């Protein structure tokens, strides 16, 4: 009887416990399923984030590529424009030469036509000279008669380099550009600061976006004009104060051979005189003769080009003063530098009567010689020394 009563009570109890256990197992299985789903969602969200980051990175790369190609298009545009202008100039020259040769080689029955062509050519040359005199201030009438003295200001930096003042500004700042390939300018408050032993600590460092090539750069009216390293003939105009590129150009015909045989790193030598910005280079087509180009320093437009009679062989440097090119020659092993070729763009100098002008009291070579029209002095870099030459001038003949 007691057993039957226990059985009566235990059976419902065990049934209840078993049911509860089943419910608990089902709940655990449900929780496990939900947990797995959450883990799966987290993994998918992580994959989604990774994909988004990849898409962002790809978009950045695409943007950089587009900007790079746009910059390349601007370069091509400038190159095409320059080449077209150069082509038009050469066509014009060729047309004049063809007209002239026709006037010389035609039969005697065309003598009157010959004379007309010659008169027309002479008239055009006279008009061209008038235009050049208007463009180049004809009142600039002095020429170099001698180099009076030299002052070695300091000896610092590499064998090749360039240093200068800005003749287009009133300040007395000194700029040092060390080496034939570099992208850092050192700016000093004045020449006394530059001469101090710890001068580099007091200099303002200006980093260029692209390095220069050679030593033929120049600073004028707050801008650095320089030949971009790695390019054939690209000239960059860089704002020193704002530290950005404001313009660039391609110089037709330049960059294929050195401007001076004894300074092979300099393919384009930029110069400043009383009339503004010039470029000096040599071309294979002229047999290595030096070519000079007048450039508008504001727009970087080519204003005129002259093929000179000065040879780049054994030349180490050159400078332009008052519309006149002075080419400096030396020996390959170094020696006394001398000026023995002069070219005046307005034919205001009788170059055949000019004696050879020797640089005083110094044996060696120059990698740069720049004329400062404001101070009427030469700023030179010779074997790591920064030198100033004082000049003696006279009236042009």
């Amino acid at each position: 009887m007691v057993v039957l009563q226990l059985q009566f009570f235990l059976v419902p109890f065990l049934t209840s416990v078993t049911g509860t256990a089943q419910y608990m197992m089902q709940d655990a299985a449900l929780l496990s399923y939900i947990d797995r789903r959450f883990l799966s969602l987290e993994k998918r969200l992580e994959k989604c984030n990774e994909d988004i980051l990849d898409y962002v990175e790809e978009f950045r790369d695409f943007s950089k590529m587009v900007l790079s190609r746009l910059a390349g298009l601007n370069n091509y545009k400038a190159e095409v424009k320059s080449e077209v202008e150069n082509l038009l100039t050469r066509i014009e020259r060729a047309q004049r030469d063809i007209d002239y040769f026709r006037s010389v080689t035609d039969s005697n029955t065309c003598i009157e036509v010959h004379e007309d062509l010659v008169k027309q050519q002479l008239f055009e040359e006279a008009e061209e000279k008038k235009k050049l005199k208007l463009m180049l201030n004809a009142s600039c009438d002095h020429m170099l008669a001698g180099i009076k003295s030299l002052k070695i200001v300091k000896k610092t930096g590499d064998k090749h380099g360039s240093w200068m003042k800005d003749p287009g500004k009133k300040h007395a700042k000194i700029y040092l550009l060390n080496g034939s390939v570099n992208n850092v300018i050192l700016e000093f408050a004045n020449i006394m600061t530059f001469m101090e032993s710890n001068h580099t600590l007091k200099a303002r460092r200006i980093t260029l976006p692209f390095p220069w090539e050679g030593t033929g750069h120049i600073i004028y009216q707050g801008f650095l004009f320089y030949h971009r390293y790695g390019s054939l003939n690209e000239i960059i105009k860089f704002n020193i104060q704002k530290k950005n590129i404001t313009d660039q150009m391609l110089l037709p015909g330049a960059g294929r051979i050195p401007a001076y045989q004894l300074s092979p790193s300099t393919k384009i030598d930029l110069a400043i005189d009383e009339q503004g910005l010039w470029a000096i280079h040599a071309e294979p087509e002229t047999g290595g003769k030096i070519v000079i180009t007048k450039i508008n320093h504001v727009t970087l437009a080519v204003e005129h080009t002259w093929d000179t009679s000065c040879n780049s062989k054994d030349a180490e440097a050159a400078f332009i003063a008052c519309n006149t090119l002075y080419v400096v020659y030396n020996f390959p092993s170094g020696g006394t530098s001398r000026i023995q070729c002069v070219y005046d763009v307005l034919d205001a100098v009788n170059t055949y009567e000019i004696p050879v002008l020797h640089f005083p009291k110094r044996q060696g070579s120059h990698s740069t010689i720049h004329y400062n029209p404001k101070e009427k002095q030469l700023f030179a870099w010779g074997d790591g020394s920064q030198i100033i030459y004082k000049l003696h001038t006279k009236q042009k003949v």
Side-chain angles (χ1 to χ4, degrees):
M1 188 67 181
V2 175
V3 172
L4 290 174
Q5 289 180 349
L6 287 173
Q7 184 178 6
F8 177 77
F9 287 109
L10 285 174
V11 168
F13 175 74
L14 290 174
T15 302
S16 174
V17 169
T18 303
T20 302
Q22 287 178 348
Y23 285 127
M24 290 180 67
M25 289 177 65
Q26 290 176 356
D27 291 342
L30 180 62
L31 290 174
S32 176
Y33 171 76
I34 292 172
D35 188 53
R36 288 197 303 273
R37 295 298 294 172
F38 273 119
L39 289 174
S40 177
L41 287 174
E42 287 178 356
K43 289 180 180 179
R44 290 184 180 182
L45 287 174
E46 289 178 359
K47 181 67 169 58
C48 183
N49 287 333
E50 290 175 358
D51 291 342
I52 290 172
L53 291 175
D54 290 339
Y55 293 148
V56 169
E57 189 65 28
E58 289 178 3
F59 183 75
R60 285 177 180 170
D61 294 339
F62 178 74
S63 300
K64 290 179 182 178
M65 181 187 70
V66 171
L67 292 174
S68 175
R69 292 193 176 181
L70 286 175
L73 287 175
N74 289 331
N75 290 337
Y76 291 140
K77 179 181 176 182
E79 183 177 357
V80 170
K81 181 181 177 183
S82 177
E83 290 296 333
V84 169
E85 290 176 352
N86 181 41
L87 180 61
L88 290 175
T89 302
R90 294 186 179 228
I91 289 174
E92 185 179 350
R93 289 183 186 174
Q95 187 61 51
R96 288 203 301 265
D97 292 340
I98 290 170
D99 291 341
Y100 174 73
F101 286 123
R102 282 178 179 172
S103 69
V104 173
T105 57
D106 281 348
S107 64
N108 293 333
T109 58
C110 299
I111 291 177
E112 292 182 0
V113 179
H114 288 175
E115 292 176 354
D116 290 340
L117 287 173
V118 171
K119 287 179 181 179
Q120 179 66 23
Q121 186 177 8
L122 291 174
F123 175 77
E124 290 177 357
E125 290 178 355
E127 288 297 313
E128 184 71 15
K129 285 187 177 181
K130 286 181 182 179
K131 290 179 182 178
L132 290 175
K133 286 184 178 181
L134 290 174
M135 181 184 73
L136 303 172
N137 186 1
S139 64
C140 188
D141 58 357
H142 66 270
M143 61 176 290
L144 187 61
I147 303 170
K148 293 193 294 187
S149 62
L150 85 163
K151 177 183 179 181
I152 298 179
V153 178
K154 195 175 183 65
K155 186 174 178 64
T156 183
D158 299 340
K159 181 178 180 180
H160 304 291
S162 181
W163 76 297
M164 66 202 74
K165 289 183 178 180
D166 185 346
K169 292 287 187 179
K170 293 183 179 180
H171 60 65
K173 293 178 181 178
I174 296 291
Y175 298 92
L176 183 78
L177 295 91
N178 184 41
S180 57
V181 177
N182 202 342
N183 70 331
V184 177
I185 309 172
L186 297 182
E187 179 188 88
F188 301 89
N190 50 55
I191 198 165
M192 298 305 297
T193 306
F194 172 65
M195 292 173 65
E196 293 179 6
S197 57
N198 60 342
H199 64 291
T200 55
L201 299 177
K202 299 182 178 180
R204 174 190 174 216
R205 296 174 64 88
I206 303 166
T207 302
L208 304 176
F210 304 106
W212 65 72
E213 180 171 344
T215 58
H217 14 270
I218 200 73
I219 292 174
Y220 185 58
Q221 294 190 355
F223 296 92
L224 169 70
F225 300 86
Y226 71 97
H227 179 199
R228 176 180 171 178
Y229 174 73
S231 72
L232 180 64
N233 51 15
E234 182 181 352
I235 296 173
I236 288 179
K237 180 180 180 182
F238 178 82
N239 189 312
I240 294 177
Q241 189 63 36
K242 296 181 179 179
K243 297 184 178 180
N244 62 357
I245 293 175
T246 60
D247 208 347
Q248 59 201 66
M249 68 168 290
L250 300 175
L251 184 63
R256 290 171 292 168
I257 60 175
Y260 318 113
Q261 184 191 43
L262 300 185
S263 299
S265 65
T266 300
K267 305 290 179 59
I268 300 174
D269 190 12
L270 299 168
I272 290 291
D273 77 341
E274 291 79 359
Q275 313 306 329
L277 180 64
W278 300 77
I280 307 169
H281 71 277
E283 295 183 6
E285 291 84 355
T286 63
K289 297 290 180 65
I290 291 176
V291 178
I292 56 177
T293 303
K294 182 69 182 68
I295 300 173
N296 186 308
H297 71 275
V298 178
T299 63
L300 290 189
V302 172
E303 295 180 341
H304 200 83
T305 297
W306 293 265
D307 295 336
T308 76
S309 56
C310 298
N311 205 318
S312 62
K313 184 180 179 182
D314 293 332
E316 65 178 8
F319 59 92
I320 295 177
C322 194
N323 305 322
T324 305
L325 171 73
Y326 298 88
V327 184
V328 182
Y329 294 87
N330 208 326
F331 300 101
S333 58
T336 302
S337 299
R338 61 202 181 276
I339 297 171
Q340 62 182 51
C341 189
V342 177
Y343 180 87
D344 187 88
V345 300
L346 297 177
D347 295 327
V349 174
N350 189 348
T351 57
Y352 297 102
E353 295 181 2
I354 297 175
V356 175
L357 302 176
H358 292 271
F359 282 72
K361 301 178 182 178
R362 186 178 178 278
Q363 296 288 318
S365 61
H366 298 94
S367 63
T368 309
I369 300 176
H370 281 148
Y371 173 67
N372 186 306
K374 182 179 177 182
E375 300 183 358
K376 311 296 183 189
Q377 298 182 137
L378 299 179
F379 283 69
W381 188 295
D383 301 318
S385 295
Q386 292 73 49
I387 307 165
I388 291 178
Y389 291 102
K390 293 185 177 181
L391 306 177
H392 173 60
T393 59
K394 65 178 182 179
Q395 197 83 6
K396 287 184 178 180
V397 179

